[in-house]
Structures are given as C-alpha cells and as structure tokens.
Amino acid sequence: MKSAGDPLAELDKTLPAVPASVPRLRRAVTHFAATAGATSTVLEKLRLAVTEAVTNTVVHAYIDHDRPGSVHVTASVRDGSVHVTVSDDGRGMLPRVDSPGLGLGIPLIAQAADTFDVHQAAGGGSEMLMCFRLAG
Amino acid sequence: MVNEPLDLDEPFTVEVLESDGTTTVALTGELDAATMGVLQASLPPVAQGGELVLDLRRLAFMDSTGIRVLMSLDIRSRTEGWSLRIIRRPGAVQRVLDVCRVPERVLTVDEPAERG
C-alpha cells in the first residue's frame, strides 16, 4: 500500500457538495498530511483552510442547480510540501448579493496556507490550490 | 504557539445549563457547516437583562461558520438587551477567534467566574 510519504501517493476524493462532506474531507486531508509528517502547527492550519475551501463549495457553488453537485479534493506531497486542491463544476466565481456568509473563508485560507490560488476552471466551476510546507 | 492534542472525531454536543439568569452553552467536538444546525437549534432564547455564556473550553475545532454564529449572537445581544460572554480555549479555536477579531466585540474570558 502506498503511503503519503511515497512521492507517487495522492489523495483523491469526490463527495457530494453538502455540509456532511465538510468534516469527512477535512479528516481525510488531515490524515494524509499527518502521515506525510506535517507538524501539529501545520495540521492546524491545513484543517482550517481545507474546511473553509470545502465549505465555500458547499455554500456557493451550486445555488443555481436543482441539486448539489460534487466537491473534488486532491492532496499530494512534493518538494517538502502538501499540495491541496478543492474544485467543483458549479457556477464559478459569480458574485452573490445574497451570500449567507461573512466573507471570511477566502481570507482565512490565504492566512493559513503558505501559498493560495483560486481561479475559475476552464470548463466552469472553481478551483482552489493551497500549499503547506510539511515542516511549517 | 500552544500545540494541544487534536480531539479528532469527538462528536459535536451542546450542553445548556441555566442558572440565575445566566444561560451557559458548552460545546464539545467540532463546529462547522455540518454541525452548525445542531448548535442553532439548541440555542435558547435569552431574556432582556440576562446573559449567554458560550463555553468553548472543550471545543476542538471552529471555522468561519462558528464565527458567523458568534457574530449573529453578538448582534442579537445588543438589539435584545442581554449580554454575551465567551470562555476561551487557548489554541486553535482561540486563534481563529483572534484572527477574526471577535474578542474586540465580544467579552472573552479564561474562566467562568471572570466577567472582564
């Protein structure tokens, strides 16, 4: 069985974009990073950032759809860092005047991750890329 | 930086205690989008002149979902005439509160008996 320390190992999970998926994906990515040797300080930041990113998809990505779509999370280890992506095929980065949130999610991710990028995917939807140095 | 053990997988629970005009709501486990509804359904009304104390000492995780609940309670306390107090848990949860500057709006203490 490949371990997170194996440079070829990768986490790849797709779940429904519903609230119950938030803790499941948080725990999956945290476990992956812990196995890869991330420090407790890094795990704390990663837990928060991944939670905010997945929640962002759950809350915003599929408001135009009749049913929630999916949220896709990957994690891999390269060059001493955990690279995490959170993506969806929902409405993309269209603004909302009726947002139920406080707008804290993106700033919290940017503050927690070493690097952070968010963009609209080529086929629609959004993709967030976060990077955390294993050693902090 | 305090590195407390991560209380992973502990179920989210809400314990409500009422005494002498003070309602204490103690949280355990992880507060996020999946458990926010449990908290909101558990919050009792607070009478004018009363106090709501959120005890976070056993809360293992909170994100901006929890911040939104706190800010909503803060606004309600000001408009409905009751007071809100948070008992902090040093570590990850408090760091989220600090980054979002919650202690600047809501009285935050270390022990139940503290009143700022």
Side-chain angles (χ1 to χ4, degrees), chain A residues 19-23 26-27 30 40-41 43-45 47-48 51-52 55 58-59 100-102 104-105 108 111, chain B residues 1-4 6 8-10 30 32-34 60-65 67-68 71 91-92 95-96 99-100:
Chain A
S21 296
V22 172
R26 172 174 68 244
R27 290 164 191 162
T30 302
S40 59
T41 300
L43 291 175
E44 174 187 320
K45 295 178 180 180
R47 289 177 86 201
L48 179 62
T51 300
E52 296 292 348
T55 300
V58 169
V59 172
L102 296 176
L104 291 173
L108 283 173
Q111 187 260 350
Chain B
M1 181 178 288
V2 174
N3 291 321
E4 77 279 20
L6 298 176
L8 299 177
D9 299 329
E10 190 169 4
E30 301 178 328
D32 60 15
F61 175 85
M62 183 174 68
D63 66 342
S64 63
T65 305
I67 299 296
R68 180 157 69 89
M71 290 296 95
R95 282 190 280 276
V96 175
V99 166
C100 297

Side-chain angles (χ1 to χ4, degrees), chain A residues 5-86:
Chain A
D6 183 332
L8 297 179
E10 182 175 308
L11 173 74
D12 193 320
K13 291 183 75 72
T14 299
L15 291 178
V18 296
S21 296
V22 172
R24 293 176 62 187
L25 291 169
R26 172 174 68 244
R27 290 164 191 162
V29 178
T30 302
H31 178 76
F32 178 88
T35 304
T39 66
S40 59
T41 300
V42 174
L43 291 175
E44 174 187 320
K45 295 178 180 180
L46 181 144
R47 289 177 86 201
L48 179 62
V50 170
T51 300
E52 296 292 348
V54 174
T55 300
N56 189 76
T57 295
V58 169
V59 172
H60 298 295
Y62 299 104
I63 59 169
D64 298 338
H65 293 57
D66 294 333
R67 294 181 300 176
S70 299
V71 53
H72 181 213
V73 175
T74 71
S76 60
V77 176
R78 291 194 308 278
D79 303 323
S81 295
V82 177
H83 297 255
V84 180
T85 70
V86 178

Side-chain angles (χ1 to χ4, degrees), chain B residues 54-65:
Chain B
L54 283 178
D55 187 346
L56 306 184
R57 289 176 294 173
R58 298 197 327 263
L59 187 65
F61 175 85
M62 183 174 68
D63 66 342
S64 63
T65 305

